[in-house]
Every structure is written in structure tokens, then in C-alpha cells.
Amino acid sequence: MKRISIVLLVLMMWGIGMHAQHSNIISVENAWNIVKNEILKEKGDSICVYVSNVTKPPQAEIKTIKGSVATPSFESWFFFVDDMPYANWEHSCRYIYVNAKTGSYEVQYMNRPPKDNMDVLVQYKPANKSNVKKIQYP
């Protein structure tokens, strides 16, 4: 009986510790505000922004059309910014990682979208198609 009590006490303490650890994570809304106000402030409605629906662990793999990249060494919200949403790939895009604990961020400049991670991303900012310029070929 004493062993069971000790095991239950340890499990309760572990659960409280896990709850406290996760309560320190910034919300996706706060991460979006950081991206919007500090990184995307110069862009209007001509981009699309997607965000992961859960935080990414440190050094997680993000597969692309041609290979993969690793997330930074911190737990992060992953934002995919398509800088030219109505163009074919390979064109400018960005992977933005907002540290889930501190709000600091890293930006990776890429030229291809995430491949199999698209199903866990939600569109946060749709592009305004009227702002997209059509390219005419001679």
C-alpha cells in the first residue's frame, strides 16, 4: 500500500510539472502577433501565411519537395509564408519559427513549401488576389 501511495504521489507531481511546463508556452495568437507585427509589417495582403496547429519540437524534420530541413533547437510555432501565392514553385517563401517559450524567432528563407506538413497547417492570412500582378510573356 505504501508503494502504491508513493507511485501515485510521484505521478501526481510529474503531472503538475508537465502542466506547469506547458502553461509557459505562448499561444498561437501571440506567436501570430509577433510574426505579423515584427516580420510581415512591410507586406500587405499579397502573401499567404499558414501556421502549424501544434508546436514543433526542437530539431524536428520538415519535409519539402526536395529534401528536408530541421526546426531550430527550441520548441516553436511553425509559420509558412508564401510570398508569391499564385506563382508556381520554386519561388520565395519563408519558414518562421517563433520560440514557444520566449517569443524570439528565426526566419529561414526558402524557395519551396513544406511537403507533408501542409495537412497540419492552417491558413492564417489569405492573399488578396486583386493585389497579385499578372506576368505577361512576350
Side-chain angles (χ1 to χ4, degrees):
M1 185 70 173
K2 188 174 183 179
R3 276 188 168 172
I4 292 174
S5 297
I6 291 172
V7 169
L8 288 175
L9 181 62
V10 168
L11 287 174
M12 274 183 23
M13 291 175 67
W14 178 78
I16 290 169
M18 291 301 289
H19 175 72
Q21 181 182 7
H22 286 292
S23 65
N24 292 333
I25 293 176
I26 66 170
S27 69
V28 68
E29 291 83 11
N30 287 343
W32 166 239
N33 283 329
I34 291 167
V35 169
K36 182 173 57 175
N37 296 326
E38 296 183 25
I39 302 168
L40 302 179
K41 56 187 172 195
E42 78 284 351
K43 288 284 191 176
D45 293 331
S46 61
I47 60 173
C48 279
V49 181
Y50 303 85
V51 64
S52 57
N53 58 4
V54 295
T55 57
K56 296 286 184 194
Q59 300 297 311
E61 179 184 41
I62 296 179
K63 293 182 180 178
T64 70
I65 296 169
K66 294 182 179 178
S68 63
V69 296
T71 62
S73 59
F74 51 80
E75 182 178 5
S76 59
W77 288 104
F78 170 58
F79 289 84
F80 164 59
V81 180
D82 185 350
D83 290 311
M84 301 171 70
Y86 297 101
N88 289 328
W89 291 99
E90 302 193 0
H91 65 263
S92 298
C93 67
R94 291 172 278 177
Y95 292 4
I96 301 172
Y97 308 94
V98 177
N99 188 311
K101 295 194 180 190
T102 67
S104 63
Y105 57 85
E106 286 186 21
V107 179
Q108 265 184 324
Y109 293 91
M110 304 290 289
N111 62 358
R112 60 191 77 90
K115 185 178 176 186
D116 57 2
N117 296 70
M118 290 302 288
D119 60 336
V120 298
L121 298 178
V122 292
Q123 190 170 16
Y124 228 94
K125 180 180 189 214
N128 181 346
K129 197 168 184 176
S130 65
N131 289 344
V132 176
K133 295 177 183 168
K134 293 183 179 178
I135 299 173
Q136 296 201 359
Y137 296 97

